[in-house]
Amino acid sequence: MKPKILIVGEDGFDANQYIQLAYGEWAAQTNVTLAQALATSGQMAGLVVMEDDRTGLRLVYEVEVSTGWWSSTNYYVTAYALQDGQLNQIARSGNLGSLTDVSLRIIKSNNGYSFAYSTDGVNWVDMAGSSKMMMAAPKLGPFCGNVAGATAT
């Protein structure tokens, strides 16, 4: 089957996605290269595995910006699960600082998914969380997105 463009609704996976079917066991790896550093909370880029608009996983490099006297900007690799329309964090790296290149990997074995990232493309950090999720027809592809109020260029 050829990959296709799929646009899904406002359910945690609201982004343009270029995806293809991903049956069996596999490892998906990508290098996220950004033209400029993420700057607005909610900006993210990475990989998505999804069954439909209510079930899936994503592994993203993202930014969180806090304002006020506690002002801070933090950059993380985060794994999320979307089950029954509810988005939950599975695992998160420590603050990686502002990067324009980060490599991401999702490994599927049976119905289990594990996650890893690399800041240099050579040395990989396995993330502590994993997820078991039954998906009859999982689809895999790159992901980029924003939450309300964030813009991307």
Side-chain angles (χ1 to χ4, degrees), residues 15-96:
N16 291 324
Q17 301 165 12
Y18 187 69
I19 63 174
Q20 61 186 18
L21 288 170
Y23 295 115
E25 296 187 358
W26 45 261
Q29 180 175 312
T30 192
N31 184 42
V32 175
T33 301
L34 304 168
Q36 61 188 32
L38 301 176
T40 305
S41 282
Q43 291 179 325
M44 61 190 74
L47 291 169
V48 65
V49 182
M50 61 186 292
E51 172 80 347
D52 54 37
D53 65 352
R54 298 184 54 79
T55 306
L57 300 162
R58 70 181 176 206
L59 180 63
V60 295
Y61 175 66
E62 64 182 344
V63 62
E64 284 185 1
V65 179
S66 301
T67 58
W69 65 270
W70 63 91
S71 178
S72 67
T73 303
N74 298 296
Y75 300 85
Y76 304 104
V77 170
T78 309
Y80 292 99
L82 179 68
Q83 293 179 298
D84 297 321
Q86 298 295 313
L87 188 63
N88 297 300
Q89 181 179 303
I90 300 169
R92 176 173 265 184
S93 70
N95 184 3
L96 300 175

Side-chain angles (χ1 to χ4, degrees), residues 91-108:
R92 176 173 265 184
S93 70
N95 184 3
L96 300 175
S98 179
L99 303 171
T100 54
D101 283 295
V102 63
S103 297
L104 304 172
R105 180 186 295 157
I106 301 175
I107 298 172
K108 180 179 183 266

